[in-house]
Amino acid sequence: MLYCKNVQARTIVTEINLQVEETGERLDLYLSQHLSELSRSRIQQLIEQGHVLLNDEVCTSKKVSVKVGDRLSLEIPIAQPLELLAEDIPLDILFEDDSFLILNKPAGIVVHPAPGHPDGTLVNALLAHCPSLPGINGIQRPGIVHRLDKDTTGAIAIAKTEQAYQNLQAQLQAKTARREYLGVIFGAPKSDYGKIDQPIGRHPVDRKKMGIVPIEAGGRSAVTHWQVKERLGNYTLVHFQLETGRTHQIRVHSAYMGHPIVGDPLYSSKHSVGVNLPGQALHAWKLTLQHPLSLEWITVTAPPPRTFLKLVQILTSRTFT
């Protein structure tokens, strides 16, 4: 049995109560199966934050198995005031409606506030553009459906409503959304295409880096498909497609196969190529999503930045001279 009620308490907007009628499921899985309006990751977040009661006691373990007759109560907090300043930072908008927008992120801008980057982020710019954004997906990351590294450019989706956020997140988790990248790598792969299926986790020594880490040691499944787009002598323009979305995934997988991304300050020790790059030559080129309301498929192409195009141009000229 499931029923919801509005709660007027200062910290809660909705309380959801369930009477378990089947047994053996993990807590997070059971809740995600019975609360379709919330993503499994959101449910896990609420569990970790102590917003789920199991038989009237706080339960912070998502792995607990529920039993027939168990009582579950889930509290969904109201949006908390956002202690971030809206900043008038120009946005390159590729698509926008009342549900979400897709931006072409430039290099050098951090997506959301973090230690060392309290302002000047994409979130600060979005708050000026979308006054209704606060509260969607938490205080520090309002509306952020997925992220791009500071110096990775290209298409990024931002939800403008909670419904759109949950829907777009579900598409990423179900792998129906399509994220395609362009990258310039060192060297010339022997094959024209391939698939890298190696788990990624925090590097055991250098905490600023990610690395190939076995699942049993804390790594998470990561799959990247790649295809040569153009061979440029001892460099290659590659089309990447993400099946998963781990931190630094393409950068780590490229280095793993012996062909790091040109200009990558973390995963490449190779020399420069004569172009003053702001960072790694990696660009989120295309993003394909199903609209949360109309269900129409939308594909947005983000034009690569001038530095990326200049790099390809120089390498092409070297190849044919």
Side-chain angles (χ1 to χ4, degrees), residues 246-268:
R246 307 304 177 206
T247 300
H248 298 179
Q249 179 171 319
I250 292 176
R251 298 166 65 186
V252 172
H253 277 173
S254 293
Y256 169 79
M257 69 175 183
H259 301 288
I261 301 290
V262 169
D264 194 326
L266 280 181
Y267 303 102
S268 173

PDB file of all heavy atoms in Angstrom, residues 246-268:
ATOM      1  N   ARG A 246      31.563   7.917 -16.232  1.00  0.00           N
ATOM      2  CA  ARG A 246      32.414   8.061 -15.049  1.00  0.00           C
ATOM      3  C   ARG A 246      33.288   9.319 -15.149  1.00  0.00           C
ATOM      4  O   ARG A 246      33.567   9.804 -16.246  1.00  0.00           O
ATOM      5  CB  ARG A 246      33.319   6.832 -14.883  1.00  0.00           C
ATOM      6  CG  ARG A 246      32.583   5.519 -14.893  1.00  0.00           C
ATOM      7  CD  ARG A 246      31.500   5.453 -13.853  1.00  0.00           C
ATOM      8  NE  ARG A 246      30.757   4.202 -13.945  1.00  0.00           N
ATOM      9  CZ  ARG A 246      29.518   4.045 -13.547  1.00  0.00           C
ATOM     10  NH1 ARG A 246      28.853   5.064 -13.023  1.00  0.00           N
ATOM     11  NH2 ARG A 246      28.914   2.875 -13.652  1.00  0.00           N
ATOM     12  N   THR A 247      33.741   9.791 -14.010  1.00  0.00           N
ATOM     13  CA  THR A 247      34.627  10.951 -13.980  1.00  0.00           C
ATOM     14  C   THR A 247      35.889  10.686 -14.810  1.00  0.00           C
ATOM     15  O   THR A 247      36.537   9.658 -14.631  1.00  0.00           O
ATOM     16  CB  THR A 247      35.023  11.279 -12.525  1.00  0.00           C
ATOM     17  OG1 THR A 247      33.836  11.555 -11.774  1.00  0.00           O
ATOM     18  CG2 THR A 247      35.947  12.486 -12.471  1.00  0.00           C
ATOM     19  N   HIS A 248      36.214  11.608 -15.718  1.00  0.00           N
ATOM     20  CA  HIS A 248      37.408  11.529 -16.576  1.00  0.00           C
ATOM     21  C   HIS A 248      37.413  10.276 -17.455  1.00  0.00           C
ATOM     22  O   HIS A 248      38.473   9.830 -17.898  1.00  0.00           O
ATOM     23  CB  HIS A 248      38.695  11.530 -15.731  1.00  0.00           C
ATOM     24  CG  HIS A 248      38.904  12.758 -14.923  1.00  0.00           C
ATOM     25  ND1 HIS A 248      39.999  12.936 -14.086  1.00  0.00           N
ATOM     26  CD2 HIS A 248      38.165  13.892 -14.812  1.00  0.00           C
ATOM     27  CE1 HIS A 248      39.914  14.117 -13.483  1.00  0.00           C
ATOM     28  NE2 HIS A 248      38.816  14.709 -13.913  1.00  0.00           N
ATOM     29  N   GLN A 249      36.243   9.718 -17.761  1.00  0.00           N
ATOM     30  CA  GLN A 249      36.203   8.405 -18.418  1.00  0.00           C
ATOM     31  C   GLN A 249      36.996   8.347 -19.718  1.00  0.00           C
ATOM     32  O   GLN A 249      37.842   7.463 -19.900  1.00  0.00           O
ATOM     33  CB  GLN A 249      34.746   7.988 -18.675  1.00  0.00           C
ATOM     34  CG  GLN A 249      34.644   6.634 -19.379  1.00  0.00           C
ATOM     35  CD  GLN A 249      33.226   6.119 -19.438  1.00  0.00           C
ATOM     36  OE1 GLN A 249      32.476   6.233 -18.474  1.00  0.00           O
ATOM     37  NE2 GLN A 249      32.839   5.553 -20.586  1.00  0.00           N
ATOM     38  N   ILE A 250      36.718   9.248 -20.660  1.00  0.00           N
ATOM     39  CA  ILE A 250      37.409   9.191 -21.949  1.00  0.00           C
ATOM     40  C   ILE A 250      38.898   9.439 -21.767  1.00  0.00           C
ATOM     41  O   ILE A 250      39.739   8.774 -22.396  1.00  0.00           O
ATOM     42  CB  ILE A 250      36.802  10.213 -22.931  1.00  0.00           C
ATOM     43  CG1 ILE A 250      35.373   9.791 -23.309  1.00  0.00           C
ATOM     44  CG2 ILE A 250      37.660  10.340 -24.195  1.00  0.00           C
ATOM     45  CD1 ILE A 250      34.646  10.791 -24.201  1.00  0.00           C
ATOM     46  N   ARG A 251      39.254  10.350 -20.890  1.00  0.00           N
ATOM     47  CA  ARG A 251      40.668  10.678 -20.651  1.00  0.00           C
ATOM     48  C   ARG A 251      41.420   9.479 -20.085  1.00  0.00           C
ATOM     49  O   ARG A 251      42.536   9.167 -20.511  1.00  0.00           O
ATOM     50  CB  ARG A 251      40.748  11.882 -19.726  1.00  0.00           C
ATOM     51  CG  ARG A 251      40.103  13.137 -20.311  1.00  0.00           C
ATOM     52  CD  ARG A 251      39.882  14.217 -19.261  1.00  0.00           C
ATOM     53  NE  ARG A 251      41.149  14.704 -18.726  1.00  0.00           N
ATOM     54  CZ  ARG A 251      41.226  15.562 -17.714  1.00  0.00           C
ATOM     55  NH1 ARG A 251      40.118  16.000 -17.109  1.00  0.00           N
ATOM     56  NH2 ARG A 251      42.408  15.976 -17.287  1.00  0.00           N
ATOM     57  N   VAL A 252      40.802   8.792 -19.126  1.00  0.00           N
ATOM     58  CA  VAL A 252      41.434   7.615 -18.516  1.00  0.00           C
ATOM     59  C   VAL A 252      41.517   6.466 -19.515  1.00  0.00           C
ATOM     60  O   VAL A 252      42.560   5.806 -19.644  1.00  0.00           O
ATOM     61  CB  VAL A 252      40.665   7.179 -17.255  1.00  0.00           C
ATOM     62  CG1 VAL A 252      41.181   5.843 -16.730  1.00  0.00           C
ATOM     63  CG2 VAL A 252      40.780   8.242 -16.170  1.00  0.00           C
ATOM     64  N   HIS A 253      40.442   6.210 -20.241  1.00  0.00           N
ATOM     65  CA  HIS A 253      40.432   5.113 -21.201  1.00  0.00           C
ATOM     66  C   HIS A 253      41.386   5.363 -22.363  1.00  0.00           C
ATOM     67  O   HIS A 253      42.032   4.431 -22.863  1.00  0.00           O
ATOM     68  CB  HIS A 253      39.009   4.880 -21.711  1.00  0.00           C
ATOM     69  CG  HIS A 253      38.186   4.019 -20.802  1.00  0.00           C
ATOM     70  ND1 HIS A 253      36.841   3.794 -21.009  1.00  0.00           N
ATOM     71  CD2 HIS A 253      38.527   3.302 -19.699  1.00  0.00           C
ATOM     72  CE1 HIS A 253      36.386   2.984 -20.061  1.00  0.00           C
ATOM     73  NE2 HIS A 253      37.392   2.677 -19.255  1.00  0.00           N
ATOM     74  N   SER A 254      41.503   6.605 -22.802  1.00  0.00           N
ATOM     75  CA  SER A 254      42.438   6.919 -23.883  1.00  0.00           C
ATOM     76  C   SER A 254      43.875   6.661 -23.440  1.00  0.00           C
ATOM     77  O   SER A 254      44.682   6.078 -24.172  1.00  0.00           O
ATOM     78  CB  SER A 254      42.284   8.378 -24.321  1.00  0.00           C
ATOM     79  OG  SER A 254      41.029   8.601 -24.925  1.00  0.00           O
ATOM     80  N   ALA A 255      44.203   7.095 -22.225  1.00  0.00           N
ATOM     81  CA  ALA A 255      45.548   6.854 -21.695  1.00  0.00           C
ATOM     82  C   ALA A 255      45.791   5.362 -21.514  1.00  0.00           C
ATOM     83  O   ALA A 255      46.894   4.858 -21.768  1.00  0.00           O
ATOM     84  CB  ALA A 255      45.721   7.590 -20.370  1.00  0.00           C
ATOM     85  N   TYR A 256      44.753   4.635 -21.113  1.00  0.00           N
ATOM     86  CA  TYR A 256      44.876   3.184 -20.901  1.00  0.00           C
ATOM     87  C   TYR A 256      45.251   2.455 -22.188  1.00  0.00           C
ATOM     88  O   TYR A 256      46.056   1.523 -22.174  1.00  0.00           O
ATOM     89  CB  TYR A 256      43.555   2.639 -20.351  1.00  0.00           C
ATOM     90  CG  TYR A 256      43.467   1.138 -20.343  1.00  0.00           C
ATOM     91  CD1 TYR A 256      44.097   0.381 -19.352  1.00  0.00           C
ATOM     92  CD2 TYR A 256      42.756   0.461 -21.340  1.00  0.00           C
ATOM     93  CE1 TYR A 256      44.020  -1.012 -19.354  1.00  0.00           C
ATOM     94  CE2 TYR A 256      42.680  -0.926 -21.345  1.00  0.00           C
ATOM     95  CZ  TYR A 256      43.317  -1.649 -20.349  1.00  0.00           C
ATOM     96  OH  TYR A 256      43.237  -3.028 -20.359  1.00  0.00           O
ATOM     97  N   MET A 257      44.689   2.907 -23.321  1.00  0.00           N
ATOM     98  CA  MET A 257      45.002   2.213 -24.570  1.00  0.00           C
ATOM     99  C   MET A 257      46.284   2.743 -25.219  1.00  0.00           C
ATOM    100  O   MET A 257      46.632   2.372 -26.336  1.00  0.00           O
ATOM    101  CB  MET A 257      43.829   2.265 -25.550  1.00  0.00           C
ATOM    102  CG  MET A 257      43.502   3.610 -26.154  1.00  0.00           C
ATOM    103  SD  MET A 257      42.178   3.426 -27.412  1.00  0.00           S
ATOM    104  CE  MET A 257      42.050   5.096 -28.035  1.00  0.00           C
ATOM    105  N   GLY A 258      47.001   3.611 -24.485  1.00  0.00           N
ATOM    106  CA  GLY A 258      48.296   4.078 -24.967  1.00  0.00           C
ATOM    107  C   GLY A 258      48.242   5.285 -25.867  1.00  0.00           C
ATOM    108  O   GLY A 258      49.248   5.649 -26.486  1.00  0.00           O
ATOM    109  N   HIS A 259      47.067   5.932 -25.933  1.00  0.00           N
ATOM    110  CA  HIS A 259      46.886   7.094 -26.799  1.00  0.00           C
ATOM    111  C   HIS A 259      46.172   8.191 -26.030  1.00  0.00           C
ATOM    112  O   HIS A 259      44.979   8.449 -26.248  1.00  0.00           O
ATOM    113  CB  HIS A 259      46.096   6.714 -28.057  1.00  0.00           C
ATOM    114  CG  HIS A 259      46.732   5.656 -28.891  1.00  0.00           C
ATOM    115  ND1 HIS A 259      47.862   5.883 -29.648  1.00  0.00           N
ATOM    116  CD2 HIS A 259      46.411   4.346 -29.072  1.00  0.00           C
ATOM    117  CE1 HIS A 259      48.202   4.769 -30.275  1.00  0.00           C
ATOM    118  NE2 HIS A 259      47.341   3.819 -29.935  1.00  0.00           N
ATOM    119  N   PRO A 260      46.866   8.876 -25.116  1.00  0.00           N
ATOM    120  CA  PRO A 260      46.216   9.914 -24.302  1.00  0.00           C
ATOM    121  C   PRO A 260      45.731  11.084 -25.142  1.00  0.00           C
ATOM    122  O   PRO A 260      46.200  11.313 -26.255  1.00  0.00           O
ATOM    123  CB  PRO A 260      47.316  10.341 -23.331  1.00  0.00           C
ATOM    124  CG  PRO A 260      48.591   9.983 -24.018  1.00  0.00           C
ATOM    125  CD  PRO A 260      48.300   8.733 -24.796  1.00  0.00           C
ATOM    126  N   ILE A 261      44.788  11.807 -24.593  1.00  0.00           N
ATOM    127  CA  ILE A 261      44.246  12.990 -25.255  1.00  0.00           C
ATOM    128  C   ILE A 261      45.315  14.087 -25.293  1.00  0.00           C
ATOM    129  O   ILE A 261      45.996  14.354 -24.298  1.00  0.00           O
ATOM    130  CB  ILE A 261      43.009  13.521 -24.509  1.00  0.00           C
ATOM    131  CG1 ILE A 261      41.902  12.449 -24.431  1.00  0.00           C
ATOM    132  CG2 ILE A 261      42.486  14.786 -25.168  1.00  0.00           C
ATOM    133  CD1 ILE A 261      41.242  12.129 -25.736  1.00  0.00           C
ATOM    134  N   VAL A 262      45.476  14.703 -26.448  1.00  0.00           N
ATOM    135  CA  VAL A 262      46.436  15.795 -26.601  1.00  0.00           C
ATOM    136  C   VAL A 262      46.084  16.929 -25.640  1.00  0.00           C
ATOM    137  O   VAL A 262      44.916  17.320 -25.519  1.00  0.00           O
ATOM    138  CB  VAL A 262      46.431  16.311 -28.059  1.00  0.00           C
ATOM    139  CG1 VAL A 262      47.218  17.612 -28.171  1.00  0.00           C
ATOM    140  CG2 VAL A 262      47.003  15.260 -28.995  1.00  0.00           C
ATOM    141  N   GLY A 263      47.094  17.439 -24.951  1.00  0.00           N
ATOM    142  CA  GLY A 263      46.891  18.564 -24.042  1.00  0.00           C
ATOM    143  C   GLY A 263      46.361  18.200 -22.676  1.00  0.00           C
ATOM    144  O   GLY A 263      46.099  19.091 -21.861  1.00  0.00           O
ATOM    145  N   ASP A 264      46.219  16.899 -22.392  1.00  0.00           N
ATOM    146  CA  ASP A 264      45.677  16.476 -21.099  1.00  0.00           C
ATOM    147  C   ASP A 264      46.736  16.659 -20.012  1.00  0.00           C
ATOM    148  O   ASP A 264      47.765  15.985 -20.020  1.00  0.00           O
ATOM    149  CB  ASP A 264      45.239  15.010 -21.166  1.00  0.00           C
ATOM    150  CG  ASP A 264      44.372  14.621 -19.983  1.00  0.00           C
ATOM    151  OD1 ASP A 264      44.596  15.144 -18.879  1.00  0.00           O
ATOM    152  OD2 ASP A 264      43.468  13.784 -20.164  1.00  0.00           O
ATOM    153  N   PRO A 265      46.504  17.551 -19.049  1.00  0.00           N
ATOM    154  CA  PRO A 265      47.519  17.824 -18.028  1.00  0.00           C
ATOM    155  C   PRO A 265      47.656  16.716 -16.987  1.00  0.00           C
ATOM    156  O   PRO A 265      48.671  16.641 -16.299  1.00  0.00           O
ATOM    157  CB  PRO A 265      47.015  19.116 -17.383  1.00  0.00           C
ATOM    158  CG  PRO A 265      45.527  19.062 -17.549  1.00  0.00           C
ATOM    159  CD  PRO A 265      45.303  18.397 -18.875  1.00  0.00           C
ATOM    160  N   LEU A 266      46.657  15.853 -16.866  1.00  0.00           N
ATOM    161  CA  LEU A 266      46.686  14.800 -15.852  1.00  0.00           C
ATOM    162  C   LEU A 266      47.151  13.442 -16.384  1.00  0.00           C
ATOM    163  O   LEU A 266      47.870  12.714 -15.693  1.00  0.00           O
ATOM    164  CB  LEU A 266      45.296  14.618 -15.226  1.00  0.00           C
ATOM    165  CG  LEU A 266      44.874  15.603 -14.136  1.00  0.00           C
ATOM    166  CD1 LEU A 266      43.478  15.247 -13.631  1.00  0.00           C
ATOM    167  CD2 LEU A 266      45.861  15.616 -12.996  1.00  0.00           C
ATOM    168  N   TYR A 267      46.739  13.111 -17.591  1.00  0.00           N
ATOM    169  CA  TYR A 267      46.941  11.747 -18.072  1.00  0.00           C
ATOM    170  C   TYR A 267      47.903  11.634 -19.254  1.00  0.00           C
ATOM    171  O   TYR A 267      48.017  10.583 -19.857  1.00  0.00           O
ATOM    172  CB  TYR A 267      45.588  11.126 -18.445  1.00  0.00           C
ATOM    173  CG  TYR A 267      44.616  11.131 -17.288  1.00  0.00           C
ATOM    174  CD1 TYR A 267      43.596  12.078 -17.214  1.00  0.00           C
ATOM    175  CD2 TYR A 267      44.738  10.220 -16.245  1.00  0.00           C
ATOM    176  CE1 TYR A 267      42.711  12.098 -16.142  1.00  0.00           C
ATOM    177  CE2 TYR A 267      43.865  10.226 -15.173  1.00  0.00           C
ATOM    178  CZ  TYR A 267      42.849  11.172 -15.124  1.00  0.00           C
ATOM    179  OH  TYR A 267      41.991  11.189 -14.054  1.00  0.00           O
ATOM    180  N   SER A 268      48.578  12.723 -19.582  1.00  0.00           N
ATOM    181  CA  SER A 268      49.552  12.680 -20.666  1.00  0.00           C
ATOM    182  C   SER A 268      50.812  13.432 -20.268  1.00  0.00           C
ATOM    183  O   SER A 268      50.745  14.551 -19.755  1.00  0.00           O
ATOM    184  CB  SER A 268      48.976  13.302 -21.943  1.00  0.00           C
ATOM    185  OG  SER A 268      49.967  13.392 -22.937  1.00  0.00           O
TER     186      SER A 268
END
